[in-house]
Amino acid sequence: MPGPDKETELTERIEAFLSDLKRGGSGTGPLRGSAETARETTALLRRITAQARWSSAGDLMEIIRKEGRRMTAAQPSETTVGNMIRRVLKIIREEYARSRGSSEETDQQESLHKLLTSGGLSEENFRQHFAALKANVIEAINELLTELEGTTDNIAMQALEHIHSNEVIMTIGRSRTVEAFLEDAARKRGDMKRKFHVIVAECAPFCQGHEMATSLSKAGIETTVIADAAIFAVMSRVNKVIIGTQTVLANGGLRAVNGTHTLALAAKHHSTPLIVCAPMFKLSPQFPNEEDTFHKFVSPHEVLPFTEGEILSKVNVHCPVFDYVPPELITLYISNIGGHAPSYIYRLMSELYHPEDHEL
Amino acid sequence: MDEEELVEYFRTQMRKDPDMASAVAAIRTLLEFLKRDKGETILGLRESLKWATDCLTKVDSSVAVSSGGELFLRFISLTSLEHQDLSRCKKVMEERGELFLEKISLSRTKVAKLCHTFIKDGAKILTHSYSRVVLRVLEKAAAEKKRFSVYVTESQPDAAGRQMADALRKLNVPVTVVLDAAVGYVLEKVDLVIVGAEGVVESGGIINKIGTYQTAVCSKAHNKPFYVVAESFKFVRLYPLNQQDVPDKFKYKADTLKTVQNLSEEHPMIDYTPPSLITLLFTDLGVLTPSAVSDELIKLYL
């Protein structure tokens, strides 16, 4: 029978995704694959919408929320999963409101205006059934997937506005987005040709900076690799700092690879602009207050190998993966929808997510 | 309703529930005024409401009462745009007014729910003067079994900080009262600063008991987060650029304004804290960065 088969197939896929998430966060590539994770999550949510049994928008949202909680519990540091779930929940709300015919914009957010003018305590329970809802939601999710596919290119297209000739640019670790950004600027020919120099901080202990330097030099960009300790010393020669990040937090701050806070402080000290290339799916409604879910620690083997047995018994070794960068140190965010100041992040958040979905 | 009745009603509201914010008491009084109003036109209604707000500010000159009055006036304008017929309009206004009061009675709970997660176990908190919203937040954190200790500034000239300390002792929270002058001294031990607000201005800054600005500057110097908790009805359409810009009618108590001739010899009761010193604002509309506040005000007034 097609019914139960589809269901078991669906649960199998969800389980496979969950175990992938659990395994994937081993710390060797915290920035690698954010885009893939986002795409996979969205594809999985589309499959759930298509194949799971639901009769009203409320049911669908409940199902997605339930699966979403399991997914975020599997890998709390991978925030793109939660972000995509919230995007899809917002899509469902919008499509439902559109089917009902009400103006969705004004009804969504809490505001002083709404407090004063609304007629009753709004109890929107999404129970009505609409036949076309499934098709509309799936179409909207497809649009979201198309947007996800174009994010790196959209960001790279803005490179020319920010990178000028004979500039020295510093970056840290390895970010696919920044790589594409820099390569796009280097690739132009003719009168738009930019010749610039990139300094990459190696970002111990995983030393992803080495891989970044290799791929940048393959693209014909003059690259230098430095140790993290040399960041401050070299900063006086740098014109701009361009970095990627794992997450953009709701207050405009960052959760980025360890070493980024040092880089940001050094840049502030020298009044060097700090530019963050982050696609919209990295924007998360979290604030940097939860200690237990903010940090992720991996095997201290990278810092002090197990062969140093004698020292290990006398010393505590930690290997954190992420760093918090406060919004005051950041100059500009470049995302697939353009450039923004950190103080504008709250507005982008209110456009992408509904306040009730902040807590899944 | 004449002036005496109005003032008496306002005073009764404040006395009946000492926990209620003065802005809420003002709005309640204005709603009662609306119910008893015998006017025939909407313009007349607005005029009499403005007059009523003026009477109330003569009794209690705080920013909160003024912002409550302005909000109510805006509420009237928005409702009157929808219904042209006065009697129907009044009915709708009365209904919505009651609903509004119901909603804002829940706002402190919402704020407490948002803010208590920012208080970590073992935190040392500094607060300034007596704020019922901060008290509610700390109550919620204590109820969530978090261990924290509080430093409260004495907050002269009315020593309101001692009232705060007594209330906190009842919750079994370890509390220390410090001198206003000791804020810089104590900040190195403190993890975060939480204050309430009498008014939140358009720039995202706040107007609060005198001494708040000092505390904010010190916490910036020490790199400690400075959080403000305020309900959304405290948002007011002022844009002060410095301390001088705050109107005199808010700075001094109502009786002082009436009796004293030379205000330059009086001590102001409030000061203005600019948005650059504030980390986050917790309101019933959500957790806002200071730049988000003007957005909210624009949505309401334009």
Side-chain angles (χ1 to χ4, degrees):
Chain A
M1 269 172 53
D5 273 346
K6 267 201 200 166
E7 293 230 342
T8 43
E9 195 201 320
L10 183 61
T11 26
E12 267 172 35
R13 273 188 198 260
I14 297 178
E15 294 303 324
F17 184 64
L18 282 173
S19 51
D20 215 11
L21 274 178
K22 275 191 207 140
R23 241 182 306 118
S26 62
T28 46
L31 289 180
R32 187 185 311 158
S34 268
E36 279 102 78
T37 319
R39 269 195 287 268
E40 276 173 34
T41 316
T42 319
L44 189 61
L45 290 171
R46 180 178 59 184
R47 193 176 278 276
I48 295 178
T49 315
Q51 292 181 349
R53 249 182 292 156
W54 52 276
S55 56
S56 69
D59 290 339
L60 179 60
M61 284 181 12
E62 223 7 83
I63 296 175
I64 290 189
R65 254 197 276 264
K66 198 180 91 189
E67 296 302 331
R69 277 190 285 261
R70 287 178 66 204
M71 289 190 224
T72 42
Q75 188 64 261
S77 67
E78 192 59 66
T79 44
T80 36
V81 176
N83 297 345
M84 288 295 103
I85 292 167
R86 293 181 184 101
R87 290 287 293 267
V88 171
L89 285 171
K90 179 139 205 248
I91 285 176
I92 298 174
R93 281 174 203 268
E94 277 178 359
E95 290 300 326
Y96 182 79
R98 203 171 295 155
S99 308
R100 278 186 76 200
S102 51
S103 60
E104 67 253 28
E105 274 316 316
T106 47
D107 281 353
Q108 296 288 11
Q109 311 291 353
E110 276 291 327
S111 76
L112 272 179
H113 186 102
K114 194 176 149 213
L115 269 182
L116 290 183
T117 54
S118 61
L121 287 167
S122 53
E123 292 286 333
E124 187 65 80
N125 58 358
F126 297 98
R127 288 280 151 227
Q128 259 183 297
H129 174 76
F130 290 108
L133 190 63
K134 189 183 244 189
N136 287 346
V137 170
I138 294 186
E139 201 187 303
I141 298 182
N142 283 335
E143 276 174 30
L144 180 60
L145 274 168
T146 335
E147 187 196 312
L148 286 177
E149 285 178 20
T151 44
T152 321
D153 290 328
N154 283 334
I155 294 178
M157 278 196 310
Q158 301 174 49
L160 283 181
E161 293 165 17
H162 300 280
I163 302 179
H164 309 290
S165 250
N166 293 325
E167 275 200 327
V168 178
I169 297 177
M170 183 180 266
T171 184
I172 186 168
R174 179 170 192 211
S175 162
R176 299 270 187 69
T177 320
V178 175
E179 219 181 283
F181 194 77
L182 295 172
E183 282 169 8
D184 193 87
R187 213 180 311 135
K188 300 291 185 225
R189 291 278 165 255
D191 56 342
M192 295 219 277
K193 186 145 167 67
R194 307 289 158 104
K195 191 114 184 66
F196 55 93
H197 189 121
V198 176
I199 301 180
V200 183
E202 68 174 358
C203 186
F206 308 113
C207 292
Q208 299 239 299
H210 300 174
E211 289 165 30
M212 176 82 156
T214 326
S215 48
L216 284 179
S217 50
K218 278 205 193 103
I221 302 174
E222 246 183 80
T223 323
T224 311
V225 177
I226 59 166
D228 296 343
I231 287 176
F232 190 86
V234 174
M235 186 58 78
S236 48
R237 306 263 205 92
V238 173
N239 297 113
K240 281 193 174 79
V241 180
I242 302 183
I243 56 174
T245 175
Q246 202 256 2
T247 311
V248 179
L249 301 163
N251 65 343
L254 296 180
R255 180 158 85 196
V257 73
N258 62 341
T260 316
H261 197 172
T262 318
L263 183 62
L265 284 170
K268 187 81 181 183
H269 184 269
H270 290 90
S271 294
T272 311
L274 177 70
I275 300 176
V276 180
C277 291
M280 280 286 99
F281 63 78
K282 287 192 176 165
L283 189 56
S284 161
Q286 289 174 330
F287 281 92
N289 60 325
E290 277 126 61
E291 290 250 302
D292 32 348
T293 47
F294 189 85
H295 284 293
K296 185 171 128 178
F297 293 89
V298 292
S299 161
H301 171 75
E302 312 282 345
V303 178
L304 195 60
F306 291 125
T307 47
E308 309 270 339
E310 256 187 67
I311 313 179
L312 276 181
S313 51
K314 302 176 192 150
V315 158
N316 266 332
V317 188
H318 295 290
C319 187
V321 181
F322 299 123
D323 233 349
Y324 168 63
V325 182
E328 301 84 67
L329 302 175
I330 301 164
T331 320
L332 182 68
Y333 278 101
I334 297 182
S335 73
N336 47 312
I337 51 181
H340 312 285
S343 54
Y344 195 62
I345 293 291
Y346 75 91
R347 188 59 181 269
L348 296 171
M349 273 244 303
S350 64
E351 283 173 15
L352 290 179
Y353 311 121
H354 192 274
E356 277 171 34
D357 297 331
H358 287 341
E359 297 273 331
L360 276 180
Chain B
M1 225 180 168
D2 64 350
E3 183 161 349
E4 260 185 52
E5 270 181 34
L6 201 68
V7 170
E8 198 40 54
Y9 192 88
F10 180 64
R11 288 226 172 91
T12 336
Q13 288 294 321
M14 297 283 286
R15 252 197 314 263
K16 242 190 333 184
D17 190 0
D19 216 22
M20 187 180 354
S22 39
V24 180
I27 294 178
R28 232 182 252 280
T29 317
L30 290 173
L31 194 61
E32 187 60 34
F33 180 84
L34 174 69
K35 283 187 192 153
R36 297 195 206 170
D37 181 61
K38 305 259 184 306
E40 298 292 316
T41 63
I42 297 198
L43 196 59
L45 183 62
R46 283 179 63 90
E47 291 296 322
S48 28
L49 276 171
K50 279 204 196 117
W51 170 83
T53 316
D54 281 332
C55 296
L56 288 178
T57 42
K58 277 195 228 147
V59 174
D60 182 348
S61 69
S62 64
V63 185
V65 168
S66 158
S67 81
E70 246 190 71
L71 203 62
F72 196 76
L73 215 55
R74 182 69 188 158
F75 161 64
I76 299 293
S77 318
L78 286 172
T79 323
S80 62
L81 283 174
E82 294 174 30
H83 308 275
Q84 301 302 340
D85 172 42
L86 182 64
S87 50
R88 260 206 65 201
C89 194
K90 276 185 88 169
K91 266 199 74 207
V92 174
M93 279 186 210
E94 283 166 34
E95 274 169 28
R96 285 204 189 156
E98 292 295 337
L99 215 66
F100 178 58
L101 282 169
E102 231 182 272
K103 274 191 227 178
I104 55 183
S105 64
L106 302 166
S107 45
R108 272 195 203 150
T109 326
K110 281 194 211 165
V111 175
K113 205 171 98 165
L114 282 173
C115 188
H116 80 269
T117 49
F118 281 70
I119 299 176
K120 303 189 176 65
D121 221 14
K124 297 201 185 59
I125 303 171
L126 173 66
T127 183
H128 182 67
S129 188
Y130 178 62
S131 164
R132 289 164 288 214
V133 193
V134 177
L135 197 54
R136 184 73 77 86
V137 169
L138 296 176
E139 253 176 48
K140 182 100 178 116
E144 300 282 322
K145 306 275 186 281
K146 296 222 175 120
R147 287 163 298 185
F148 56 91
S149 60
V150 183
Y151 293 92
V152 187
T153 56
E154 205 181 25
S155 177
Q156 296 291 5
D158 56 0
R162 296 191 184 277
Q163 212 183 344
M164 183 78 166
D166 290 332
L168 283 170
R169 270 186 210 112
K170 289 205 191 87
L171 298 171
N172 282 328
V173 173
V175 56
T176 320
V177 177
V178 298
L179 293 173
D180 296 342
V183 166
Y185 173 79
V186 120
L187 260 168
E188 57 184 32
K189 300 186 235 177
V190 156
D191 296 315
L192 67 153
V193 184
I194 306 182
V195 301
E198 291 192 28
V200 179
V201 295
E202 239 175 293
S203 57
I206 57 165
I207 294 189
N208 199 26
K209 186 80 184 296
I210 189 98
T212 312
Y213 179 47
Q214 223 156 272
T215 315
V217 173
C218 288
S219 39
K220 187 80 179 187
H222 283 266
N223 247 322
K224 308 282 178 185
F226 187 83
Y227 297 129
V228 174
V229 287
E231 305 101 309
S232 60
F233 53 78
K234 290 181 176 163
F235 284 21
V236 67
R237 281 193 93 184
L238 269 180
Y239 206 114
L241 297 172
N242 54 20
Q243 306 296 339
Q244 301 281 53
D245 279 349
V246 180
D248 275 343
K249 66 178 187 201
F250 296 140
K251 283 189 188 164
Y252 308 99
K253 281 195 151 50
D255 348 345
T256 325
L257 286 167
K258 273 187 269 202
T259 52
V260 169
Q261 297 300 80
N262 190 2
L263 277 176
S264 63
E265 289 180 12
E266 285 300 317
H267 299 294
M269 294 297 288
I270 57 161
D271 61 19
Y272 163 66
T273 306
S276 50
L277 302 172
I278 300 172
T279 319
L280 286 174
L281 282 122
F282 296 90
T283 69
D284 49 335
L285 304 172
V287 185
L288 304 173
T289 49
S291 40
V293 170
S294 51
D295 228 21
E296 282 300 328
L297 277 167
I298 290 177
K299 275 194 249 178
L300 174 63
Y301 283 104
L302 262 69

